[in-house]
Amino acid sequence: MTVESGSTFFTGTWNFLHSLISGNIPDPQTRNKKWIFGAFPDVEGPNFPGYPIITIDNPKASVSQSSWTTNSIMENKLNTTVIVYSKTSTELNTINNQIYTTVKDNEPAFTASGINFETNIPGADGVDVIGNQRIHWNEMIVNNRTMTM
């Protein structure tokens, strides 16, 4: 999958990260239901698979002209937040480790897709009561960049 700037920039980046995570992170509950989402699902709906779940937010981008060149080369920075929700902190940590390793170990796949992997940084974390259940959650922010003319 190649991510290009323009009309497929956000969609292509999200699809690439979703494909990478869903293809490498096994569902610890071995459910035959979707458990990786683009937004937090309806926990009271009939299709909610239960926990754990992963959400991948839409990428956020900033664009700037490169300072090291007089040409019109633009640097596009992307930040995509991946959030894991689980009933236990142990399971949360296991899934977070798997995501971190998958993203880090697939740096060549990022490059081949047209985006450069920069860093994984921690985001917010916490414990909330969601649907009468105590749920642990943790954010990981995947930073990438592309260069366009």
Side-chain angles (χ1 to χ4, degrees), residues 1-148:
M1 170 185 298
T2 300
V3 176
E4 297 176 11
S5 63
S7 63
T8 64
F9 191 51
F10 289 92
T11 303
T13 300
W14 189 92
N15 286 340
F16 175 78
L17 194 54
H18 181 273
S19 177
L20 190 66
I21 291 171
S22 64
N24 290 285
I25 310 298
D27 180 356
Q29 302 298 320
T30 58
R31 303 164 283 194
N32 288 323
K33 287 188 169 188
K34 177 179 176 180
W35 72 293
I36 301 173
F37 299 92
F40 194 82
D42 178 5
V43 297
E44 296 176 0
N47 295 323
F48 182 65
Y51 295 97
I53 60 170
I54 298 171
T55 62
I56 304 170
D57 290 349
N58 287 320
K60 296 172 187 69
S62 63
V63 179
S64 61
Q65 187 166 357
S66 295
S67 59
W68 48 269
T69 181
T70 58
N71 295 335
S72 58
I73 296 176
M74 304 303 286
E75 182 178 43
N76 307 290
K77 291 191 175 191
L78 293 164
N79 302 323
T80 308
T81 303
V82 179
I83 309 170
V84 177
Y85 300 87
S86 178
K87 290 183 184 179
T88 69
S89 59
T90 302
E91 184 176 65
L92 177 81
N93 290 336
T94 298
I95 296 169
N96 276 323
N97 286 336
Q98 291 172 332
I99 293 171
Y100 175 83
T101 301
T102 295
V103 170
K104 184 175 167 289
D105 289 352
N106 281 283
E107 186 174 343
F110 277 96
T111 303
S113 76
I115 55 179
N116 296 307
F117 171 74
E118 287 192 332
T119 59
N120 277 342
I121 60 172
D125 61 40
V127 178
D128 289 327
V129 175
I130 304 173
N132 294 322
Q133 296 181 71
R134 183 180 166 136
I135 303 300
H136 303 262
W137 58 274
N138 191 338
E139 294 179 342
M140 180 182 307
I141 302 167
V142 180
N143 295 307
N144 304 298
R145 70 179 165 83
T146 64
M147 306 300 271
T148 57

